[in-house]
Amino acid sequence: MRVEVEVDGGVVKDAWISGSLFRGLEAIIKNRAPQDAFFISQRICGVCPVSHGHASSMSAEAAMGVQIPEGARLVRNILEGAQYLHSHILWFYTLAALDYVDPVKALQANIADTYALAHAAGTRVADFGAIAKRLSAFVERGQLSIFANGWFGHPEYPADMPAELHLIGVAHYLEALEMQAEAATIIAVMGGKFPHFMSSINGGTSWVPTEEKLDDVKFRLAKVNAFVREAMIPDTLAIAPFYLDALKFGGGGGNFLSFGVFDDPSFEIDNRYMPPGFSEGASLGLDTVDIDNVKEYTEHAWYSSPSGLNPKVGETVPAFTEYNTDDKYSWGKAVRYKDLPAEVGPLARMVVAYVKGDEAVQDLIDSTLAKLGAAGKPEVLVSLLGRVAARNLETAHTATLTEQFLNDLIAAVKAGPLELFTPHDITDGEGYGMWEAPRGALAHYMTVKNRKVDRYNVVTPSTWTCAPRDAAGRRGPMEEALIGTPVADIERPLNVVRVARSFDP
Amino acid sequence: MANEDHDALRSQLEFHGVSRRDFLKFCGSVAAILGMSESMIPQIAAAVEKGARLKPTLWLHGGICTGCTVAIAQVDTPDIATIVLDILSLKNMTINMASGDDLERIVADTLEDAENDIGFILIYEGSIMRGQGGNALREFGEPQIDRLKKKAEAAEAIVAVGSCAVDGGFVAAKPNPADAIGMKQFLDEAGIDTPLINLPTCPVNPEWIVATVINVLILGRLPEMDSFNRPSLIFGHPIHDLCPRRGHFENAQFVYEFGSKEEELGYCLYPVGCKGPQTFTNCPIVRWNRRASWCVESGAPCIGCGITSPKAGGNWVDVNAPFLKRHRDLKIGDMRIQPSTAGVIVGAAAAAALVAHGLGMKAAGRMDGEGAPYEEMKECDRKKGGGK
Ligand code: SF4
Ligand code: SF4
């Protein structure tokens, strides 16, 4: 992905996002067995393969008229939940944290004060003295490895954020490396490996839960969830007050879309644990989602295929011309809902769930807003800080849901015997799977003819987020969110990176 | 100087919470993956401590899904791996802190180091994208492939990680809309003779990267490799020979339906398409995600993502699809044999058999992208309940 911004008077005035990769996965899946799509299409993304795999299997199952059994529903929900935990922890600590936490500043921390601050913030303690000592050896040696050329000491790190808080952040950054691996291990136990898992085969799951394996999953999930509750959430609340300026920019167009995720026993899209919906503009009203409202525009993308098609009938014919922001400048199509750009991802899901009246989500958001001095003003969430906070709050929510799915599965195994797979024949048909990856709304469409895939199409979260301009010249969500971002140092536009990264593109 | 290095390493290890005991355990696992005896452990430890800082490692991206980068973060005893890679001065374009021009500067600095004889190892993830005049993948506003040549030439060795980097991977599957290829074909066509190590599977198994890079450091040369540049110790045996379900295969105890009673009993997945008999990797031994599991253990058949095609243009998807159908018997050389005996032959003469294996696959018609012929239910299967 390439971000181009126009800065005037220290503020972003215009922005263009260019998708830099064309792989043409749809063409690769065409003419293959419908079950093969699960294995191939999940490889679109090495961070959210579980969601792609699930959306693909759902599209095939819809096309064949197959209903997966209850046991498989629970297994798939747990796999999906574990991937959300993996993805969000990886994003917040490994990818984003050092945009907000400066390891060089952490060196000035007083160790006793660090413990006191950790206690006051209700966050986990670590051996802060040892970490500080080793951190200084690390920095002095100058072998910065993956930290090389980081923008530490940048003026956009808040001057008043105590060194002690920076040190806490670094300590949890290190612990998070361990925790993301633990979350991924849950997927491996239930799906063979991660990334790219094996078990959500069309018709259900190939994984048979045994007492021993369920114990293993339970232990690992408890460990990850404890980290989320004892470190990730308190860290967010402790760091956020130093970034209140980030409530004033990075918001974007204010249209939010979620397809919903985590099926309940009815398999009805409207009954999903994380609900679907489309919220347009400041009204915070809510529409049910309809796949027919999705259209892809190619005016500014390197395709010669017709513009404005629904993905069910969409075509992908690559035709590179040149990079020209007035004309075509991206491999990403401009996907629109009701012809409007829409933000997808954790903030969109939290807004939709909030407006829909999900009590757990309302409690999480209201209490957080109160702690940030913005009680009763959920609209401030439409900002850079709001987007970061929403992802972290969703992590806590997902932790609770995943525990519930696991407990349900354990109860179902005890009540046994558990159905895990629905045998079926391959027949001709058409289907789609609408789902949510950690990064946002996701849809796979499949048409089967003569027992082979005749048409396949995928609309990924990045297609929504990193969309270029559409036929009407409207910016995509990330382009829009960058407008108004303050830039103190044009050589090192840290805030621009923060806004772009907040979408987890 | 040596002492300083040792202290530096020790402080690095401690920074990541790694005890001496953990460190030796790690060296033991490297020895195991590389098939070395335990007596090599002190030598490996000394080599890592002394020599590991010599080579910076530049991790570059082609057409990726980022899966191999995510995979390296799932390595066993991750802190030690981080350290080994830190000491190697790993520069990965996704997880690196730097952005934009500063990221580009890291690459430039590494190339400059190469000119100053410090050298570097290039780890390459993703397919090489030739489509649309190279614009199927653009990097800093240019076709990525145009920028790769200089780096590939400057590197001391290239490690192609994951099937995409090895032969184009699933991206290169028919009809290969992005005209993707792997590193070997790229180097051959560009006339670059930088030594290459291929580590297929999708994604790469991270344990292999660490072990391979350390092997290069310990021995100061490339590991022993087969005709397709794969380390023989890792890719020398078919999965089928190493599989814990092999006993059930011999006893004809099979899983005919996913998530069934037979699966709970751990029966063999051959009838539902397991490609273990023709896939040469040590997945069942090294396993995945800190050795938590591997594909067959989740009740799904191996889909053969570790298969590489000796023929340009081949890839694991075209060779193995349809994934859930059983392939007909294997061919090795002129012989047409059942998988149970294939293992014995290959075990006896791994290197020769690998070549034969490649030829056999070709003779069986699996390399032309049509997918393998597969067989219908057999009478003996039906008797065992497969016909329901
Ligand atoms: S066919 Fe597959 S499951 Fe069966 S023994 Fe061989 S590798 Fe294992
Ligand atoms: S077991 Fe087979 S499918 Fe799984 S990683 Fe190994 S080679 Fe790939």
Side-chain angles (χ1 to χ4, degrees):
Chain A
M1 188 191 79
R2 173 192 168 118
V3 180
E4 186 178 328
V5 290
E6 193 178 298
V7 178
D8 187 12
V11 169
V12 174
K13 284 283 183 284
D14 211 341
W16 297 266
I17 308 291
S18 171
S20 48
L21 175 63
F22 166 78
R23 283 182 301 196
L25 202 104
E26 287 89 350
I28 295 168
I29 291 172
K30 188 179 155 91
N31 288 328
R32 295 185 190 275
Q35 306 103 319
D36 287 353
F38 161 75
F39 295 103
I40 301 172
S41 71
Q42 63 172 297
R43 288 170 159 89
I44 288 173
C45 176
V47 190
C48 52
V50 174
S51 314
H52 281 284
H54 284 157
S56 179
S57 283
M58 288 162 71
S59 73
E61 285 147 5
M64 323 275 150
V66 178
Q67 178 73 70
I68 66 166
E70 173 66 6
R73 173 185 76 84
L74 290 167
V75 170
R76 287 190 185 182
N77 276 359
I78 299 163
L79 278 162
E80 192 71 51
Q83 183 198 242
Y84 269 66
L85 292 167
H86 171 266
S87 183
H88 286 357
I89 292 171
L90 187 77
W91 176 81
F92 181 57
Y93 285 104
T94 313
L95 298 179
L98 299 181
D99 292 345
Y100 303 89
V101 168
D102 184 344
V104 177
K105 259 197 157 175
L107 291 176
Q108 296 155 19
N110 173 300
I111 302 306
D113 292 350
T114 308
Y115 280 101
L117 182 60
H119 284 301
T123 195
R124 267 192 188 180
V125 296
D127 190 346
F128 294 123
I131 289 169
K133 217 171 97 203
R134 271 105 218 193
L135 187 60
S136 80
F138 184 68
V139 171
E140 272 163 26
R141 276 181 61 231
Q143 277 267 347
L144 288 179
S145 189
I146 59 165
F147 301 134
N149 289 8
W151 295 339
F152 305 127
H154 194 284
E156 280 162 9
Y157 287 108
D160 56 344
M161 180 164 146
E164 288 74 19
L165 193 49
H166 286 283
L167 182 56
I168 292 171
V170 171
H172 291 165
Y173 166 87
L174 293 173
E175 202 179 343
L177 286 173
E178 179 72 8
M179 286 303 146
Q180 60 82 28
E182 193 70 51
T185 303
I186 296 171
I187 304 168
V189 170
M190 301 175 68
K193 73 190 205 326
F194 182 86
H196 307 328
F197 78 127
M198 305 292 289
S199 60
S200 293
I201 287 167
N202 297 182
T205 178
S206 66
W207 185 69
V208 178
T210 61
E211 200 176 319
E212 193 190 348
K213 285 187 175 167
L214 286 168
D215 259 0
D216 193 10
V217 170
K218 196 174 170 132
F219 170 76
R220 293 174 193 275
L221 182 62
K223 206 164 136 192
V224 174
N225 287 357
F227 176 76
V228 171
R229 288 170 187 138
E230 293 163 16
M232 190 167 178
I233 298 303
D235 285 355
T236 310
L237 293 173
I239 296 170
F242 298 98
Y243 284 95
L244 291 179
D245 275 359
L247 288 173
K248 297 187 198 114
F249 64 91
N255 302 323
F256 295 102
L257 176 69
S258 164
F259 287 165
V261 63
F262 302 123
D263 272 321
D264 88 336
S266 73
F267 291 98
E268 293 289 335
I269 185 167
D270 283 322
N271 293 343
R272 285 177 175 169
Y273 288 87
M274 287 296 283
F278 176 65
S279 165
E280 186 184 330
S283 68
L284 288 184
L286 206 62
D287 260 3
T288 51
V289 291
D290 182 346
I291 204 81
D292 291 333
N293 290 330
V294 178
K295 276 182 192 149
E296 293 186 297
Y297 293 90
T298 54
E299 279 75 7
H300 293 278
W302 292 310
Y303 297 98
S304 59
S305 24
S307 191
L309 295 181
N310 184 276
K312 280 183 193 168
V313 292
E315 285 169 32
T316 304
V317 182
F320 180 80
T321 44
E322 57 167 347
Y323 179 88
N324 178 355
T325 51
D326 292 330
D327 183 18
K328 291 176 182 272
Y329 61 93
S330 179
W331 280 119
K333 295 176 186 170
V335 60
R336 297 291 186 259
Y337 192 82
K338 286 189 167 174
D339 275 337
L340 295 170
E343 174 166 351
V344 298
L347 177 57
R349 285 191 294 269
M350 294 312 260
V351 167
V352 167
Y354 188 94
V355 177
K356 211 159 196 172
D358 183 296
E359 279 178 30
V361 171
Q362 284 184 338
D363 283 355
L364 267 173
I365 289 181
D366 288 339
S367 62
T368 306
L369 287 171
K371 281 174 197 144
L372 297 179
K377 288 195 270 182
E379 63 277 8
V380 302
L381 283 174
V382 187
S383 63
L384 166 61
L385 182 58
R387 194 173 299 110
V388 174
R391 183 175 264 107
N392 290 5
L393 295 178
E394 184 180 71
T395 316
H397 188 53
T398 309
T400 306
L401 287 175
T402 311
E403 268 162 1
Q404 183 188 327
F405 302 140
L406 181 59
N407 289 336
D408 290 351
L409 180 63
I410 292 170
V413 167
K414 280 188 181 147
L418 196 59
E419 291 285 313
L420 295 162
F421 183 79
T422 309
H424 55 276
D425 268 337
I426 295 176
T427 51
D428 291 0
E430 194 181 336
Y432 54 83
M434 291 164 85
W435 197 239
E436 286 282 313
R439 293 165 176 65
L442 167 66
H444 284 228
Y445 307 75
M446 183 190 289
T447 311
V448 185
K449 258 192 208 148
N450 299 324
R451 305 164 79 85
K452 282 187 171 175
V453 176
D454 185 56
R455 182 190 289 276
Y456 204 83
N457 205 353
V458 182
V459 181
T460 67
S462 298
T463 318
W464 290 98
T465 301
C466 306
R469 280 143 170 86
D470 56 25
R474 260 182 310 244
R475 294 184 192 93
M478 196 198 285
E479 293 180 336
E480 193 62 41
L482 282 163
I483 310 298
T485 299
V487 178
D489 175 352
I490 195 123
E491 292 291 310
R492 300 184 301 163
L494 182 55
N495 276 330
V496 169
V497 172
R498 284 172 176 156
V499 171
R501 198 126 57 194
S502 72
F503 284 92
D504 195 8
Chain B
M1 193 51 206
N3 266 344
E4 270 170 41
D5 278 354
H6 276 236
D7 288 349
L9 177 71
R10 201 162 303 136
S11 90
Q12 282 259 24
L13 289 169
E14 284 169 9
F15 172 58
H16 289 262
V18 176
S19 69
R20 182 78 196 161
R21 213 172 136 254
D22 286 342
F23 178 63
L24 290 175
K25 200 176 116 203
F26 160 73
C27 295
S29 89
V30 170
I33 291 169
L34 294 172
M36 295 173 177
S37 90
E38 285 193 9
S39 64
M40 284 291 287
I41 293 174
Q43 233 173 301
I44 293 172
V48 171
E49 286 183 329
K50 267 213 324 271
R53 284 183 60 209
L54 293 178
K55 300 263 183 290
T57 307
L58 187 61
W59 181 310
L60 294 180
H61 288 160
I64 53 163
C65 74
T66 327
C68 293
T69 291
V70 172
I72 191 78
Q74 320 303 323
V75 76
D76 198 26
T77 343
D79 296 327
I80 297 177
T82 307
I83 269 310
V84 171
L85 296 166
D86 268 350
I87 299 159
L88 291 169
S89 197
L90 175 70
K91 289 147 183 180
N92 178 304
M93 299 294 107
T94 297
I95 53 177
N96 209 290
M97 282 305 301
S99 319
D101 292 346
D102 283 321
L103 191 60
E104 186 63 352
R105 216 165 294 140
I106 292 175
V107 177
D109 288 351
T110 309
L111 290 179
E112 201 172 292
D113 281 353
E115 275 157 26
N116 297 333
D117 281 344
I118 296 172
F120 70 97
I121 296 174
L122 173 61
I123 296 185
Y124 195 83
E125 169 186 7
S127 321
I128 295 170
M129 314 288 276
R130 296 192 297 190
Q132 305 287 308
N135 287 294
L137 176 59
R138 287 165 60 80
E139 185 181 88
F140 291 96
E142 289 172 52
Q144 188 260 4
I145 192 168
D146 293 351
R147 298 159 48 89
L148 181 59
K149 206 173 161 206
K150 198 170 148 210
K151 297 165 198 161
E153 267 169 349
E156 258 177 50
I158 299 172
V159 188
V161 299
S163 297
C164 292
V166 169
D167 59 17
F170 78 92
V171 185
K174 267 190 170 178
N176 192 358
D179 198 8
I181 55 168
M183 184 56 83
K184 186 158 194 300
Q185 195 178 340
F186 172 76
L187 296 178
D188 285 350
E189 286 175 4
I192 299 171
D193 57 4
T194 307
L196 171 69
I197 305 171
N198 277 331
L199 300 178
T201 62
C202 181
V204 68
N205 191 319
E207 313 299 335
W208 299 340
I209 301 181
V210 177
T212 301
V213 172
I214 288 178
N215 188 352
V216 172
L217 293 170
I218 295 167
L219 302 173
R221 60 184 159 83
L222 303 177
E224 191 194 315
M225 291 189 283
D226 64 28
S227 63
F228 205 66
N229 300 59
R230 292 172 299 192
S232 306
L233 289 164
I234 297 172
F235 298 94
H237 296 277
I239 285 172
H240 190 59
D241 278 9
L242 310 169
C243 180
R245 300 190 183 206
R246 177 62 181 267
H248 294 298
F249 174 90
E250 304 296 349
N251 292 334
Q253 293 167 320
F254 294 117
V255 175
Y256 294 102
E257 193 177 296
F258 296 113
S260 62
K261 190 78 200 157
E262 287 72 23
E263 168 52 31
E264 196 175 346
L265 293 167
Y267 285 2
C268 166
L269 293 161
Y270 189 57
V272 286
C274 186
K275 306 296 184 283
Q278 64 258 48
T279 308
F280 284 64
T281 75
N282 64 9
C283 295
I285 307 287
V286 173
R287 300 159 65 85
W288 289 80
N289 296 81
R290 302 140 133 220
R291 293 148 215 270
S293 189
W294 69 293
C295 305
V296 161
E297 198 169 310
S298 74
C302 164
I303 56 172
C305 75
I307 283 185
T308 41
S309 165
K311 191 173 102 177
N315 59 80
W316 67 271
V317 169
D318 285 340
V319 171
N320 295 311
F323 299 124
L324 304 185
K325 291 282 189 186
R326 168 168 41 172
H327 285 194
R328 208 155 54 203
D329 46 11
L330 293 176
K331 273 185 168 185
I332 290 185
D334 292 336
M335 285 186 292
R336 179 179 283 245
I337 45 177
Q338 288 297 313
S340 53
T341 45
V344 180
I345 293 169
V346 171
L354 266 166
V355 178
H357 176 68
L359 293 171
M361 298 282 285
K362 200 171 178 180
R366 294 210 189 104
M367 293 304 168
D368 55 10
E370 293 301 340
Y374 51 85
E375 66 183 351
E376 299 306 326
M377 189 74 65
K378 279 183 179 167
E379 198 47 43
C380 62
D381 294 342
R382 229 168 253 127
K383 282 190 198 124
K384 299 208 178 288
K388 58 185 168 185

